[in-house]
Each structure stands twice: as C-alpha cells, then as structure tokens.
Amino acid sequence: MKHLNWDDLRLLLLIVQEGTLRRASKKAGMSPATLSRRLDDLEEAVGQKLVERFQAGCLPTAFGADMVALASQMGEIALEVERTRDRQDAHAASGVVRINTDEWLSYFLTTRFARFHDAYPNVEVEIVTSHRPYSLARREADIALRPYRPEQLDLVTRCLGTLSFGLYCSRDVAERHAAALSSGDWARVPFVGFDEPRAEFQSDRWLRALPGAPAPWMRCSYGLGILDGVSHGAGLGVLATFLAGDQQDLVAAIPHIPELDQEIWLSMHASLRTSARIRAVVDFMGQVFAAYRETGR
C-alpha cells in the first residue's frame, strides 16, 4: 500500500454520506474535478476501488464500505481530540480580553456572556463601549465589533452576522394608539430618538423620514436611553430586534426595517490570533451570533 493521505479518508466518508460528487464537493469547498482526483489518489494508495460512480450518484464497494466505517471511527476520535483540547484550553486560557464596540452590541454581549465564565474561569472580559472605534494597533482594545469591515491590512477580520432593527413601543402605547399604528398615521403618535448631535445616525435619519412623523419629543444621547424611554411608554423608537426577546413588554410596530440591517464585523490584530484567551472569546462570540442567526435572539 502506498502512502495514505488520511484527509482523503475524510473525503471518502463525505462522498458516501452525500451520495454524489457534486454535493460532496460543495460541502468540502472544492470543485468536483478536484474531489474526483483525490478519490482516484486514495484508490491508487489502497490498491482497490472504493466507490462505484454512476450517473445518479456514488455507492461504496464492499472494501469501500469497510474503509468508510474506519473513516467514521477516525472522525469520532478526531472530535474527541478536539473536545480534549478545548477542555485543556479552558484551563490554560487566562488573562484580560478587552472588547470595544457600540451600545447595542455591548448590550448584546453583556446579556449573553454569562456562560463564557463557566467555560473559561480564568479569562476576564472588559467590554468597552464607545461610538469612537478604539485603536487595535495601539492595543487600546484586543477585539473590536463594528457594523463595517475595517480596512487595515494588519487586522484579522470575520463577519459574525447581521444585526437588524425594528420600530417598537410599549404595550401601553400600542393600546392607546392602536388606530394610528394600524393605519400608519405616524403624525398621531409620539417618538423617542437621538439628540441633535447624533441625528445623523442611520436609524435616526430613517425615523425622521417617516411620512408625517413629528420629531422625537424625547431625545437621548445613547441607544439604551431610547430603550428605556420606549419600554416605559414615552413613544415609538428604533431598537435592535434582539431586544424583542429580552423585553417582554415591547410591541413591534414595524418588526424589521431592512434598510437598517448592519453586518457585524469582528476584528483583531493579526499578532493575537494564536492567543488562547483571544481564541476563547472569539469562538464564544461566534457561537453567540450563530444562535442569534438561528433564533433572532
């Protein structure tokens, strides 16, 4: 038997699981031609045919089925190795991680980070909230979360997902202004928004452009002030939609405003990518945003 590429066994397992080279190649992130060549290499290495290729799909030979069973066992072993590594990392990772972001994302993180401490008890997290981005190059922060992709070449970036927004009010306001809300008569309802220095924010420009809507009678210099005003009956305001699951008394006048969607980008200095504490925080934030994509919360 020639030298065996163990990664080719993983591809064999994927081909059999997916049933066709096309579906397997898409999942593997390579072209069908490349995947076919890798299968040829594996069959040459073991000296036997592993898969019968038909127009409708692929079926393993008897020997191929045995190899698939072994590949499946290897996959389970690999997963167990990763879980063991993660458990060791949980004890090895230590130190402080500073995350710089804006108000909505600060609230999003602080209300979802409790489980992180259980997994990584020696890592401390500082969430630094500001409209002004902190400098990652000058180490003002370790990680940044922002609604745009940074352009610096020395940064590692990753899109975590999309933050969406809606127009909300309290249950009391919804009941008192039910007729106006159902007809979209914005002139007859009160609003809460940002103050004049922040009137250029995209959400506030959208709010002030609503047909017939009066200027917000209550104006705040920070996003959570709008949340407080809206949830306590001061009027309608633009809020991040994840808050709907956190605040039981919020009512959506417009559940989703597509033009306000924001891609959320994580960035960090390239020199930090191998840090255990940074990797722990980045992986956890990836899990949190994955859950948000699936549930909206």
Side-chain angles (χ1 to χ4, degrees):
M1 183 181 294
K2 296 182 180 180
H3 176 70
L4 189 64
N5 185 337
W6 295 110
D7 193 52
D8 287 344
L9 283 176
R10 178 184 63 83
L11 295 177
L12 171 65
L13 177 61
L14 189 61
I15 291 170
V16 173
Q17 288 175 336
E18 294 299 315
T20 69
L21 283 173
R22 183 170 297 278
R23 285 201 298 266
S25 65
K26 186 175 181 181
K27 200 160 188 178
M30 62 180 65
S31 69
T34 300
L35 183 59
S36 179
R37 187 177 68 252
R38 295 282 294 272
L39 178 58
D40 290 340
D41 292 343
L42 179 60
E43 289 180 333
E44 183 180 353
V46 299
Q48 295 198 46
K49 195 168 189 61
L50 299 173
V51 172
E52 296 289 352
R53 309 181 202 191
F54 303 100
Q55 189 171 1
C58 300
L59 290 174
T61 63
F63 184 72
D66 291 339
M67 294 287 284
V68 166
L70 291 173
S72 181
Q73 293 176 24
M74 290 173 60
E76 290 298 322
I77 293 172
L79 287 175
E80 184 56 36
V81 170
E82 290 182 5
R83 285 192 287 265
T84 301
R85 183 204 64 190
D86 291 342
R87 287 193 295 269
Q88 291 176 341
D89 283 351
H91 291 91
S94 63
V96 178
V97 177
R98 285 168 58 84
I99 306 170
N100 174 229
T101 190
D102 63 19
E103 292 168 90
W104 294 127
L105 290 170
S106 287
Y107 185 93
F108 183 83
L109 293 179
T110 55
T111 54
R112 287 158 176 79
F113 243 83
R115 291 185 294 106
F116 177 84
H117 185 62
D118 296 333
Y120 298 93
N122 298 317
V123 178
E124 300 173 24
V125 176
E126 293 183 4
I127 299 175
V128 187
T129 306
S130 73
H131 292 302
R132 176 188 70 85
Y134 278 36
S135 172
L136 299 179
R138 294 196 300 270
R139 298 298 194 271
E140 292 180 342
D142 300 307
I143 297 171
L145 283 189
R146 291 291 168 180
Y148 52 82
R149 184 175 188 172
E151 298 179 354
Q152 295 95 313
L153 296 179
D154 57 348
L155 296 183
V156 177
T157 62
R158 172 183 172 187
C159 184
L160 293 179
T162 301
L163 193 65
S164 59
F165 292 82
L167 184 64
Y168 292 90
C169 63
S170 68
R171 199 169 302 280
D172 176 63
V173 168
E175 292 173 355
R176 286 191 288 112
H177 298 278
L181 292 177
S182 64
S183 62
D185 187 359
W186 306 118
R188 295 170 51 198
V189 293
F191 288 90
V192 181
F194 283 109
D195 59 4
E196 287 302 325
R198 293 155 188 82
E200 79 282 358
F201 285 5
Q202 188 179 9
S203 60
D204 222 55
R205 290 202 306 270
W206 180 90
L207 185 67
R208 294 169 189 260
L210 274 178
W217 77 270
M218 178 183 285
R219 294 178 290 276
C220 307
S221 62
Y222 60 105
L224 293 183
I226 296 176
L227 170 62
D228 291 338
V230 168
S231 61
H232 288 83
L236 283 81
V238 176
L239 301 173
T241 56
F242 70 80
L243 293 166
D246 295 343
Q247 307 289 326
Q248 298 301 318
D249 290 329
L250 285 181
V251 175
I254 301 178
H256 181 211
I257 307 168
E259 53 265 49
L260 296 185
D261 282 356
Q262 296 178 349
E263 279 192 341
I264 304 304
W265 286 86
L266 178 150
S267 58
M268 61 182 179
H269 199 272
S271 63
L272 295 177
R273 71 168 78 197
T274 59
S275 166
R277 72 180 192 282
I278 299 296
R279 189 174 68 244
V281 171
V282 169
D283 289 348
F284 185 81
M285 284 196 289
Q287 296 169 19
V288 166
F289 273 89
Y292 172 62
R293 287 196 300 272
E294 292 178 6
T295 66
R297 298 179 59 181

